[in-house]
Amino acid sequence: QSALTQPASVSGSPGQSITISCTGTSSDVGGFNYVSWYQQHPGKAPKLMIYDVSERPSGVSDRFSGSKSGNTASLTISGLQAEDEADYYCSSYTSSSTWVFGGGTKLTVL
Amino acid sequence: QVQLQESGPGLVTPSQTLSLTCTVSGGSISRGSYYWSWIRQPAGKGLEWIGRIYTSGSTIYNPSLKSRVSISIDTSKTQFSLKLSSVTAADTAVYYCARMAPSTGAFDVWGQGTMVTVSS
């Protein structure tokens, strides 16, 4: 199974909004609504930020939102803050009953 | 709340078998419909899903690792384990255990991770 495609890096200034894309195929992202997003700070375990494409777990800021169109899912962070600087990974269920991650995107807050 | 903790050798000799255990605390490993997964991350690289086990013992593995991987569960000890055979330097990574609720398809609880180095 191939990793989902994410941009290697994105950046934005405090207060701005950024969007990270996650492109797969009809056998994963496009075929199921089991797309999730994770935030990972250096040396830490990933943290679930979005599940089922657009749902937020309890405790996650509403500045984080998710969406999907066709084979591409997106994570949008609005009102960018310094603590949002981290690596972000998408994940999707696949038609083989397995899970696949994206390659990761490094978010820099300028 | 549920917490996960990985344990096992930090150094494994090439061609040998890597063995790790994940201990679940704060909740029952057999109560509720959860999948228990292993995920790894080489230094400076992305996450790779290794496989998962259900409380019934049913397993599914990443096709790229399937021939070398085995995941088992011991509900009496509230633990699940990973075995990866014939390891090479490419298997050097931080290994995480994680919980997934099938209804969400998301990994909602993670262990802190344990670094495993494959070297002679």
Side-chain angles (χ1 to χ4, degrees):
Chain A
Q1 56 191 30
S2 299
L4 306 175
T5 301
Q6 297 181 231
S9 63
V10 298
S11 63
S13 300
Q16 289 185 331
S17 295
I18 63 93
T19 296
I20 299 172
S21 62
C22 170
T23 301
T25 69
S26 58
S27 295
D28 38 62
V29 174
F32 308 93
N33 285 328
Y34 286 146
V35 176
S36 51
W37 289 90
Y38 303 86
Q39 176 191 66
Q40 186 180 36
H41 286 110
K44 300 295 186 181
K47 174 187 176 183
L48 177 64
M49 305 302 286
I50 295 288
Y51 67 93
D52 288 357
V53 175
S54 60
E55 299 296 316
R56 271 188 315 276
S58 173
V60 172
S61 170
D62 60 4
R63 297 186 299 106
F64 291 82
S65 62
S67 63
K68 189 182 83 167
S69 177
N71 296 336
T72 298
S74 299
L75 172 71
T76 297
I77 308 174
S78 59
L80 211 55
Q81 299 179 0
E83 63 258 35
D84 298 332
E85 185 163 295
D87 293 327
Y88 291 84
Y89 294 90
C90 61
S91 176
S92 174
Y93 180 68
T94 81
S95 59
S96 300
S97 301
T98 61
W99 276 264
V100 62
F101 285 96
T105 298
K106 181 177 179 60
L107 169 61
T108 300
V109 180
L110 302 171
Chain B
Q1 77 247 27
V2 173
Q3 293 184 316
L4 308 182
Q5 178 68 59
E6 305 89 350
S7 61
L11 180 65
V12 181
T13 303
S15 80
Q16 298 302 302
T17 296
L18 178 161
S19 296
L20 295 174
T21 295
C22 182
T23 300
V24 180
S25 60
S28 171
I29 197 172
S30 57
R31 185 166 298 175
S33 299
Y34 292 109
Y35 291 144
W36 305 94
S37 284
W38 287 97
I39 295 158
R40 70 180 182 179
Q41 183 174 36
K45 297 188 178 181
L47 301 167
E48 180 180 31
W49 180 78
I50 298 171
R52 67 86 171 148
I53 189 166
Y54 189 52
T55 51
S56 66
S58 68
T59 54
I60 292 183
Y61 303 125
N62 185 323
S64 68
L65 299 170
K66 186 177 181 179
S67 63
R68 299 193 293 129
V69 174
S70 175
I71 298 176
S72 60
I73 192 167
D74 186 337
T75 56
S76 66
K77 295 182 179 179
T78 64
Q79 294 177 334
F80 63 104
S81 300
L82 168 71
K83 290 188 185 298
L84 181 65
S85 63
S86 305
V87 297
T88 69
D91 295 309
T92 295
V94 173
Y95 285 75
Y96 295 99
C97 57
R99 185 186 81 171
M100 170 188 284
S103 60
T104 67
F107 305 99
D108 62 345
V109 181
W110 294 67
Q112 65 184 27
T114 187
M115 179 68 201
V116 178
T117 301
V118 178
S119 175
S120 55

